[in-house]
Amino acid sequence: MTRSVAVVVLGAGRSGTSAATRGLAALGVDLGDRLRAGWGKNPTGFFEDRDILALNQRLKRLLGVRGDSVRLIAPEEWDATDIVALRAEAVDTLNRRFGGAALWGYKYGRTLRFLPFWEEVHGALDLDVRYLVALRNPLSVAASRGKLDPRRGRQQKSDLEWLVNIVPYFRRARARPLVVVDYDLLLAQPEAQLARIADQLALPPADPAEKAAYAHEFLHPGMRHTRFTADDLDGAADPLVYDAYRWLHGLASDALTIDDKALWEDWARIEGAVAAMAGALDQLDHVETELRAAKRHPLGALQAIPPLWRRLTRG
């Protein structure tokens, strides 16, 4: 029996995951018939299956991870009772939604961050998984974030989000067929990039009409507001982000292959440096949680200082 092929889109937020996923549809990848509607930050569509999106949102809540969280997820957290139960539900959901599809795929912005969870789901279904990693220059990522949330758009904050969403589990993704797609190259050379995706993931070539619709109707210049080079990152972004991005950009431009020895030797250094930040990242999330609580209940923050509160309320 032929195994079902599942193309899973990975990448940090604001990196062109939606545009890349729409490209998969042009290659005949079934994205399902329950896609999240486009609005706000993605008016042309998110291309996310609503049932899979709901599972990921529940997973976020169980892990205590917000959209802007930067804490690292400890290995033992993936084996928590509630996580294991949700994993079984995810197996049932994917089987129900795509069990009869020969070639299908899905996208969620934090799948790479949650990869240990989804690897177990894919394994239980015996899927032939292939990964597409959407890549965008971290300076552009921060600029795009800044239009939605100036606080998250600060380069330092955006860089931390980028690191924790990309670095910890990228090594695990290399065990499967994998292609890295640069957002700027996708907009500049859509037809060539579709051919490259099909070649590296062993997918059928794009239907000419679908390819033309994607390249000339879906994609348009207004989807890109900034463009930076890898050299622009030097000194402008976190050094770890600069190093990791350069390796990934090398894969996206076919300057090196996924088996490059130097890549994985240096990636081990980058992984170690990110892991060494675990305590500080956890503290940042803790402080952010307290600040959010204080904004929701400003009087509660004052009541935490009883003497001052009594003086203020005495008039």
Side-chain angles (χ1 to χ4, degrees):
M1 182 177 177
T2 303
R3 298 166 69 200
S4 178
V5 175
V7 184
V8 181
V9 178
L10 312 175
R14 314 311 300 162
S15 293
T17 53
S18 298
T21 305
R22 172 61 182 83
L24 290 178
L27 292 170
V29 177
D30 181 3
L31 301 177
D33 56 3
R34 286 178 48 77
L35 295 180
R36 177 187 182 192
W39 63 275
K41 62 183 179 181
N42 275 23
T44 57
F46 291 86
F47 303 98
E48 292 174 331
D49 180 89
R50 285 183 284 167
D51 293 338
I52 298 175
L53 175 62
L55 286 166
N56 276 299
Q57 290 173 334
R58 289 170 58 193
L59 179 58
K60 275 173 55 181
R61 289 193 292 271
L62 290 175
L63 291 169
V65 171
R66 299 184 309 272
D68 64 346
S69 291
V70 294
R71 77 171 186 85
L72 300 180
I73 301 168
E76 60 270 17
E77 294 184 67
W78 302 115
D79 297 319
T81 302
D82 289 345
I83 301 296
V84 172
L86 184 62
R87 202 161 64 210
E89 189 174 336
V91 171
D92 290 341
T93 298
L94 262 62
N95 191 46
R96 171 173 50 82
R97 294 287 293 113
F98 297 102
L103 174 61
W104 60 281
Y106 70 90
K107 162 247 174 178
Y108 175 68
R110 292 175 193 85
T111 300
L112 184 52
R113 191 172 186 194
F114 297 158
L115 198 60
F117 176 91
W118 286 105
E119 281 183 329
E120 292 287 340
V121 174
H122 300 155
L125 292 167
D126 190 31
L127 298 175
D128 179 355
V129 177
R130 305 169 193 185
Y131 291 123
L132 186 159
V133 180
L135 180 69
R136 191 179 188 186
N137 190 296
L139 296 179
S140 290
V141 170
S144 181
R145 284 196 193 284
K147 292 180 179 179
L148 303 171
D149 183 342
R151 181 184 57 83
R152 289 178 69 186
R154 293 185 68 244
Q155 194 66 49
Q156 297 91 330
K157 171 62 174 169
S158 182
D159 283 350
L160 290 177
E161 289 190 36
W162 192 92
L163 282 172
V164 302
N165 277 282
I166 295 293
V167 172
Y169 298 123
F170 179 67
R171 180 183 297 274
R172 297 173 72 141
R174 71 177 289 207
R176 301 283 187 171
L178 180 151
V179 62
V180 180
V181 178
D182 177 81
Y183 183 66
D184 290 322
L185 288 176
L186 183 64
L187 289 180
Q189 308 164 2
E191 295 182 352
Q193 288 298 308
L194 285 183
R196 181 174 166 271
I197 293 167
D199 177 62
Q200 295 194 25
L201 296 185
L203 302 178
D207 174 88
E210 289 290 332
K211 180 169 61 176
Y214 176 67
H216 304 298
E217 296 174 23
F218 177 77
L219 296 179
H220 56 84
M223 297 175 73
R224 178 173 59 199
H225 303 285
T226 59
R227 184 168 186 174
F228 298 98
T229 68
D231 290 339
D232 292 327
L233 272 179
D234 192 8
D238 185 289
L240 290 175
V241 170
Y242 173 72
D243 292 342
Y245 174 78
R246 285 183 69 90
W247 285 116
L248 295 175
H249 191 265
L251 292 172
S253 61
D254 295 324
L256 54 101
T257 68
I258 195 66
D259 296 320
D260 188 281
K261 183 179 178 181
L263 158 62
W264 295 110
E265 286 178 351
D266 197 45
W267 201 264
R269 174 189 64 82
I270 296 168
E271 288 172 329
V274 172
M277 297 164 60
L281 295 172
D282 188 73
Q283 177 63 12
L284 283 173
D285 266 17
H286 178 71
V287 170
E288 179 67 23
T289 298
E290 291 189 329
L291 289 173
R292 284 170 178 250
K295 285 184 71 174
R296 288 195 301 270
H297 307 289
L299 293 182
L302 287 174
Q303 287 171 322
I305 316 173
L308 176 60
W309 176 248
R310 283 195 294 270
R311 288 198 298 272
L312 289 172
T313 54
R314 253 198 304 261

